[in-house]
Amino acid sequence: MGVSRDDLTQGARRALENCDKVIVRTERCAGFENLKDFAPTTLDCVYEKSRNFDTLNKKLAACVTDAAKDGSVCYCVDGSVSEDESCKIILKKLKGCEIFDSVSKSAYACNLTGITCGELTRVSAYGVESLKSCRAACVFDIDCEYIAGLVKEKLSDIFGEESDCFFVRCGRVSRIKIYEIDRQKDYDGTCAVTVQERDFLKRERYDYSDLEQMIRLLRKPDGCPWDRVQTSATIRKNMIEEAYELVDAIERDDADGVEEETGDVLMQAAFHSVLSEEKGEFTGTDAITRVIKKLIFRHSHVFGKDGAKDDREALGVWEKNKKTEKGQETVSDTVLAVPKNMPACMRAQKVGKRSAKSGMDFLSPVSAAEKLGEEIGELLDACVRQDGGAIAEEAGDVLFSAVNVCRLAGVDCEEVLQGATDKFIKRFVEFERLANENGERVEDMDDSRKDYYWMLAKDAVKRS
């Protein structure tokens, strides 16, 4: 039918004249006027009996395919066959169908609103959740306020709620803000929205591909002198710093900080992908594709045949698949794979955990603590002998043994050490404050006065 009274083609008219039955998806459109002389059967009643868009299209398609069993049928839809979901279902089921396409709802809306962007994404409002980041979009079938709300939310996420868009209804065009899409007076099957992104530096919203584009702009000859000279090696520590800042924001339960630091971590990832792209190694899309495929493979309890009743079993499946993926055949392979640049405490705990899977481990935290006592004795002996090399070696053994005790006791060494450090800082600050209040300087005290104020500080911190 197309979208107006002038859209019926000569070929479509001949088909209508020669078929046994004419079925119209809806009579609530301008193109229906062209079909009244053919005694059409309308399917508007199907809309009222359908719970959702998917059910509606299946029922519409079933009505047409059932009718086709008794003779030739012309199924007429408003807009284009290529944009109609019920037509797509019919074409899969019935072979040899003849198509007489017409002006699509999206083409009509774009012509009215003057969208010039060649990279246009067209989607029905009932499938708007599938819309991804794009330079321009046309969303049609906005036939009620609820659907308009869904369209508003999706376009706000991509383009920003303050961005301008064009609202089309019955051939009339209004320029509105995206947040106003669900605030219009009336909605019907002719309603559509078109929107086109603004110049790069003036947009309301950006996505990951824009982040990569920003890095490319900064590295251009007329970009930033600092960004131009960076390599993956020169900025490698920046990723560690940004990751720590993100974790710090998480621990402070600072939602705004988490948002900011997450962006900084993503920026570092984008920087490395652009640097690799410049060398012809890989692109950001390659990296994202790889991690998605990795997640699919490792979650075989979700996407494959493995099962997992709880988080522990799920982790077991993950570890099994990871070993397969990495080609790790022995426990030593997994131990060697622990990154050397991890924080030392975290690395020691991970190495101990992986090596324990071979069966070589202490029986309990108690037996590990006994070993820790032995190592402390050896460290004391080295200190008495003032053997610098032995002191360093035995100090390392003490720390590694302490990590083993914590691991077997179910304690995260990194977290508890951070907690102990924070506790010491609080006590020290209170210790110095109490001394200063009494006119004493920590630097001038003897050991007995320091012990006195330290005990006061411990009590004060405990009560706070």
Side-chain angles (χ1 to χ4, degrees):
M1 287 190 289
V3 292
S4 72
R5 297 187 62 175
D6 300 323
D7 291 343
L8 190 65
T9 65
Q10 294 286 345
R13 183 174 292 279
R14 284 194 297 270
L16 290 165
E17 292 170 347
N18 296 316
C19 71
D20 296 323
K21 188 172 185 178
V22 176
I23 298 178
V24 181
R25 189 178 70 169
T26 179
E27 63 180 55
R28 300 165 189 168
C29 61
F32 181 72
E33 293 296 321
N34 297 317
L35 306 177
K36 287 183 176 179
D37 295 339
F38 300 101
T41 299
T42 70
L43 300 181
D44 283 313
C45 60
V46 178
Y47 284 76
E48 301 169 3
K49 299 177 182 178
S50 302
R51 292 174 297 176
N52 53 52
F53 190 59
D54 186 52
T55 301
L56 167 65
N57 285 312
K58 289 178 180 177
K59 287 184 176 180
L60 291 173
C63 290
V64 176
T65 54
D66 288 344
K69 296 175 183 177
D70 300 323
S72 59
V73 173
C74 268
Y75 178 46
C76 305
V77 299
D78 49 323
S80 168
V81 172
S82 62
E83 289 182 348
D84 187 90
E85 295 300 321
S86 62
C87 286
K88 295 176 183 177
I89 296 172
I90 293 168
L91 291 171
K92 285 182 179 179
K93 290 185 175 181
L94 301 179
K95 305 301 180 184
C97 294
E98 193 171 6
I99 299 173
F100 298 94
D101 216 343
S102 188
V103 177
S104 68
K105 294 178 181 179
S106 61
Y108 181 69
C110 289
N111 289 336
L112 283 177
T113 56
I115 290 294
T116 57
C117 180
E119 299 175 33
L120 174 70
T121 301
R122 310 160 192 253
V123 63
S124 167
Y126 284 86
V128 73
E129 285 304 314
S130 65
L131 185 64
K132 298 181 179 180
S133 178
C134 55
R135 294 190 59 194
C138 175
V139 185
F140 50 92
D141 289 333
I142 308 175
D143 58 9
C144 68
E145 186 177 350
Y146 171 72
I147 294 298
L150 297 180
V151 173
K152 178 193 73 173
E153 290 176 7
K154 191 64 177 180
L155 294 183
S156 293
D157 185 53
I158 296 174
F159 297 96
E161 63 177 17
E162 293 284 345
S163 294
D164 290 330
C165 67
F166 293 102
F167 185 84
V168 179
R169 181 179 180 272
C170 296
R172 295 188 296 274
V173 179
S174 303
R175 189 185 186 115
I176 62 174
K177 298 292 185 182
I178 285 178
Y179 69 80
E180 297 177 300
I181 290 174
D182 61 349
R183 301 181 186 181
Q184 305 308 297
K185 291 182 179 180
D186 298 296
Y187 300 93
D188 57 37
T190 69
C191 293
V193 167
T194 63
V195 59
Q196 188 167 287
E197 69 181 15
R198 303 170 69 184
D199 291 340
F200 187 81
L201 299 181
K202 297 179 180 179
R203 293 183 201 165
E204 295 289 332
R205 302 279 289 178
Y206 297 92
D207 61 16
Y208 185 77
S209 63
D210 293 322
L211 184 55
E212 290 186 315
Q213 180 60 18
M214 174 57 75
I215 301 298
R216 295 187 191 102
L217 291 174
L218 293 174
R219 286 181 59 79
K220 289 177 67 175
D222 58 347
C224 172
W226 184 89
D227 289 283
R228 283 204 308 269
V229 300
Q230 299 311 308
T231 67
S232 289
T234 61
I235 63 170
R236 68 189 189 283
K237 290 184 179 178
N238 294 17
M239 175 61 86
I240 296 173
E241 293 173 7
E242 299 298 354
Y244 273 121
E245 290 176 8
L246 172 56
V247 172
D248 179 64
I250 292 171
E251 290 177 346
R252 288 186 282 105
D253 196 22
D254 178 2
D256 185 67
V258 171
E259 178 184 349
E260 179 182 358
E261 301 305 338
T262 298
D264 290 343
V265 169
L266 289 173
M267 188 270 289
Q268 291 299 319
F271 210 138
H272 286 286
S273 67
V274 170
L275 290 169
S276 296
E277 181 183 273
E278 291 173 352
K279 293 185 288 185
E281 295 172 344
F282 66 84
T283 66
T285 300
D286 292 330
I288 292 171
T289 299
R290 183 168 182 171
V291 74
I292 293 293
K293 289 184 175 180
K294 180 195 297 184
L295 289 170
I296 293 171
F297 179 76
R298 293 190 185 178
H299 286 87
S300 57
H301 53 292
V302 178
F303 306 113
K305 296 180 180 179
D306 287 322
K309 297 177 183 177
D310 52 35
D311 57 341
R312 186 170 182 175
E313 289 187 9
L315 185 60
V317 173
W318 172 279
E319 293 292 348
K320 177 200 71 172
N321 291 335
K322 182 178 179 180
K323 287 180 66 175
T324 301
E325 174 193 297
K326 299 288 186 181
Q328 295 170 346
E329 298 179 354
T330 66
V331 178
S332 294
D333 289 336
T334 67
V335 171
L336 289 169
V338 177
K340 291 184 177 181
N341 58 357
M342 267 187 172
C345 191
M346 185 184 296
R347 181 175 179 236
Q349 184 156 356
K350 188 172 281 290
V351 165
K353 183 178 178 181
R354 291 190 178 183
S355 63
K357 293 179 180 179
S358 68
M360 193 196 84
D361 200 5
F362 296 97
L363 295 176
S364 68
V366 174
S367 59
E370 291 172 351
K371 179 62 176 176
L372 173 59
E374 292 179 20
E375 298 295 352
I376 291 174
E378 293 175 7
L379 174 59
L380 287 171
D381 180 64
C383 289
V384 170
R385 291 185 284 108
Q386 297 185 350
D387 184 340
I391 290 172
E393 181 178 352
E394 298 303 338
D397 290 344
V398 166
L399 292 172
F400 192 82
S401 294
V403 167
N404 281 331
V405 175
C406 294
R407 173 177 58 82
L408 287 163
V411 173
D412 186 301
C413 299
E414 200 73 24
E415 287 187 9
V416 297
L417 184 55
Q418 288 283 12
T421 303
D422 290 339
K423 181 170 65 176
F424 174 82
I425 291 171
K426 289 178 182 178
R427 288 176 176 177
F428 185 85
V429 170
E430 183 65 13
F431 159 73
E432 187 172 39
R433 186 189 70 79
L434 290 170
N436 290 344
E437 274 187 355
N438 287 334
E440 298 186 59
R441 283 167 37 91
V442 174
E443 298 91 328
D444 300 331
M445 292 180 190
D446 59 26
D447 289 344
S448 63
R449 294 299 289 169
K450 288 178 181 176
D451 289 342
Y452 168 72
Y453 280 113
W454 187 256
M455 293 305 298
L456 291 178
K458 284 178 65 176
D459 289 340
V461 169
K462 187 179 295 185
R463 290 195 305 270
S464 64

